[in-house]
């Protein structure tokens, strides 16, 4: 992990206001882990694929260093909750996202073993998604509507409760 990213410490926790309140305090109190490079925007549109294999990952604008569970939680949250754009076959997108999630999880397990303690990270990722998308509602060219945020809010509330924080 590049030194300049390591210097940021746990800045990812507060990204887009996701680490406010008890959730942020809980995440900051977790024992430090070896910092990993976190992409935070891993989804099908950011993958380069050739011959059925991922050959590259693009769009590193959100990169941070930190606990790899945050990146996994962010990816799972995107894959499960990101609404399909109008005109996109929703069932097909759910199938593809689920297949990608299964592969993503297998890759994580193969490299680092099972990851436990995911509840606060899923809560963080859901909160981040809401905080990231809410300001975009109503902007020209943005098709998202307020009802698109409700599954993300329910996800964050569910995982916040599972983490014992709400």
């Amino acid at each position: 992990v590049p030194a300049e990213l390591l210097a940021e410490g746990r800045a990812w926790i507060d990204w887009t206001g996701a680490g406010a309140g008890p959730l942020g305090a809980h995440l900051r109190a977790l024992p430090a882990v070896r910092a990993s490079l976190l992409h935070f925007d891993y989804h099908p549109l950011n993958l380069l694929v050739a011959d059925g294999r991922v050959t590259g990952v693009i769009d590193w604008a959100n990169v941070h260093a930190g606990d790899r569970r945050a990146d996994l939680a962010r990816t799972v949250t995107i894959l499960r909750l990101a609404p399909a754009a109008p005109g996109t076959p929703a069932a097909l997108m759910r199938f593809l996202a689920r297949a990608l999630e299964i592969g993503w999880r297998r890759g994580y397990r193969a490299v680092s073993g099972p990851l436990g303690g995911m509840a606060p990270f899923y809560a963080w990722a859901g909160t981040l998604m809401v905080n990231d998308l809410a300001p975009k509602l109503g902007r020209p060219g943005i098709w998202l509507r307020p009802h698109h945020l409700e599954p993300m809010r329910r996800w964050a509330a569910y995982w916040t409760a599972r983490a014992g924080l709400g």
Side-chain angles (χ1 to χ4, degrees):
V1 176
E4 50 277 3
L5 286 177
L6 287 175
E8 76 174 23
R10 296 185 177 197
W12 62 269
I13 295 170
D14 294 317
W15 182 33
T16 314
L23 177 59
H26 179 79
L27 289 167
R28 279 186 279 285
L30 292 174
V33 297
R34 190 183 90 230
S36 297
L37 188 63
L38 312 176
H39 184 270
F40 280 140
D41 202 17
Y42 189 84
H43 57 75
L45 297 177
N46 285 339
L47 300 177
L48 301 176
V49 178
D51 298 323
R53 295 178 45 135
V54 175
T55 58
V57 180
I58 61 173
D59 189 5
W60 290 85
N62 299 325
V63 70
H64 285 75
D67 191 316
R68 62 184 177 259
R69 293 176 292 181
D71 204 19
L72 176 62
R74 170 84 167 151
T75 297
V76 169
T77 303
I78 289 171
L79 293 175
R80 291 204 183 172
L81 301 177
T88 305
L92 176 62
M93 289 305 296
R94 281 192 304 274
F95 172 78
L96 293 173
R98 186 67 178 151
L100 182 61
E101 179 186 338
I102 290 167
W104 178 250
R105 286 179 182 275
R106 280 189 192 140
Y108 256 93
R109 279 190 213 105
V111 171
S112 62
L115 296 176
M118 290 298 298
F121 294 93
Y122 287 137
W124 172 85
T127 302
L128 172 67
M129 197 169 190
V130 170
N131 292 352
D132 184 38
L133 295 177
K136 298 173 183 173
L137 296 175
R139 288 189 182 170
I142 302 294
W143 52 266
L144 289 171
R145 299 290 174 254
H147 73 274
H148 290 117
L149 301 181
E150 288 313 308
M152 299 164 210
R153 287 188 175 105
R154 286 192 303 272
W155 172 271
Y158 172 82
W159 288 107
T160 297
R162 289 283 307 262
L165 301 169

